[in-house]
Amino acid sequence: MKLPSLLCFALGALVSPSCSPEAKASQVLVLTGSSTVAPLAAEIALRYEQQHPGVRIDVQSGGSSRGIADVRLGHADLGMASRELVESEMDLTAHTIARDGVALIVHRDNDLAGLSSDQVRSIFRGEVTNWSDVGGSGGEIIVVNKAEGRATLTVFLEHFGLGPREIAADVIVGENEQAIKTIAGAPGAIAYVSIGTAEVDQAAGVPVRRVILDGVPAASEEVALGLYPLVRPLNLLTTGEVPELAAAFIAFARHADQGDLVLAESFVPVSNTAGE
């Protein structure tokens, strides 16, 4: 008899939780990565656990770069990334579970009507430093940028054709919520975050506002219609042969039955995206 069995036998009527049939049969799935994907993945994981007793799913954020590194090193069963894979990451497979846009956000009291892509580039390069120069009522512009390794930074730089060293940042933040809290406390600031996250926070009363970009509102409805220009996939990542539990969870997460959870996070279900 192996040691765990001897311990369980000795405990007898104490019925240690670790000796229960449920504990023996338990399976653990670890997801790490994108702070944009994590809240949606956590909701899907909760539903999966409810439907599959004996399975525990641990969802941790930390950024898309962490998700990529962890799944490669075997520290996570699934990575989470809120962007397309690049050429150097083709050893991974991306499984898209939703789509999201990236919105420029300002404080709710900022009366800016909207920005063109050229104006965005000028602001983030530090060429324009006052809101009056881009149609606002005036005041110093505070540029909030994302930290290296964040998928939102990669998407933003690629879309606007900017290099990392071109950004004249006043503040560096990590997760979307940090950017939103910074904007909420600084009326002159501008940042970029997940449209879904911004919509949820705005609905909760956080004093931020999404900026119209090139004439298109930064809204999940516009993403779904294929009209908003700055869009990215929300992915689960695997490498090599996918274990049975991970494959089952991916299939579950991508199923149309989880569309309500996707919409609740203000993201766009893959099946609702124009052209798919």
Side-chain angles (χ1 to χ4, degrees):
M1 186 178 293
K2 294 181 180 180
L3 181 58
S5 299
L6 285 170
L7 289 173
C8 290
F9 179 78
L11 286 167
L14 292 178
V15 191
S16 168
S18 63
C19 300
S20 67
E22 291 79 9
K24 288 181 181 179
S26 68
Q27 295 176 283
V28 178
L29 192 67
V30 177
L31 285 70
T32 69
S34 166
S35 62
T36 301
V37 182
L40 172 60
E43 290 299 320
I44 295 174
L46 178 60
R47 181 174 287 178
Y48 190 91
E49 289 175 336
Q50 291 170 342
Q51 296 181 20
H52 300 82
V55 173
R56 181 171 67 82
I57 302 174
D58 181 13
V59 179
Q60 305 171 22
S61 60
S64 293
S65 290
R66 179 191 176 187
I68 290 167
D70 282 358
V71 77
R72 278 174 164 167
L73 294 170
H75 296 164
D77 301 293
L78 295 171
M80 299 179 289
S82 48
R83 61 168 174 80
E84 300 276 4
L85 294 176
V86 299
E87 187 175 352
S88 62
E89 297 163 349
M90 289 300 110
D91 57 310
L92 304 174
T93 300
H95 310 268
T96 302
I97 61 173
R99 294 197 181 275
D100 182 31
V102 174
L104 290 145
I105 59 169
V106 295
H107 193 275
R108 184 169 58 197
D109 294 340
N110 189 323
D111 61 358
L112 179 75
L115 291 171
S116 68
S117 289
D118 284 342
Q119 288 173 324
V120 173
R121 282 187 280 269
S122 295
I123 289 171
F124 278 82
R125 282 177 177 148
E127 298 164 352
V128 171
T129 58
N130 196 288
W131 286 112
S132 61
D133 294 328
V134 288
S137 58
E140 181 185 3
I141 298 174
I142 301 170
V143 174
V144 180
N145 197 34
K146 285 295 190 79
E148 185 178 351
R150 295 288 171 173
T152 321
L153 170 63
T154 302
V155 173
F156 179 83
L157 294 177
E158 182 176 330
H159 179 81
F160 290 105
L162 295 168
R165 296 186 179 182
E166 289 185 75
I167 305 298
D170 298 299
V171 180
I172 304 292
V173 297
E175 298 187 354
N176 287 313
E177 290 296 347
Q178 289 179 299
I180 289 171
K181 287 178 181 177
T182 300
I183 299 298
I190 183 169
Y192 51 90
V193 298
S194 153
I195 283 180
T197 304
E199 286 183 339
V200 169
D201 281 8
Q202 281 184 270
V206 179
V208 298
R209 186 165 61 81
R210 286 164 284 133
V211 177
I212 294 171
L213 176 62
D214 290 329
V216 183
S220 55
E221 292 88 348
E222 305 298 325
V223 173
L225 291 171
L227 299 176
Y228 189 71
L230 190 44
V231 178
R232 46 53 178 298
L234 305 185
N235 294 323
L236 298 179
L237 305 176
T238 58
T239 184
E241 185 175 349
V242 183
E244 183 178 347
L245 179 57
F249 180 75
I250 290 169
F252 184 86
R254 286 170 53 85
H255 197 279
D257 285 350
Q258 298 0 298
D260 61 321
L261 300 180
V262 175
L263 292 172
E265 295 292 329
S266 287
F267 297 136
V268 177
V270 174
S271 59
N272 287 355
T273 302
E276 295 193 4

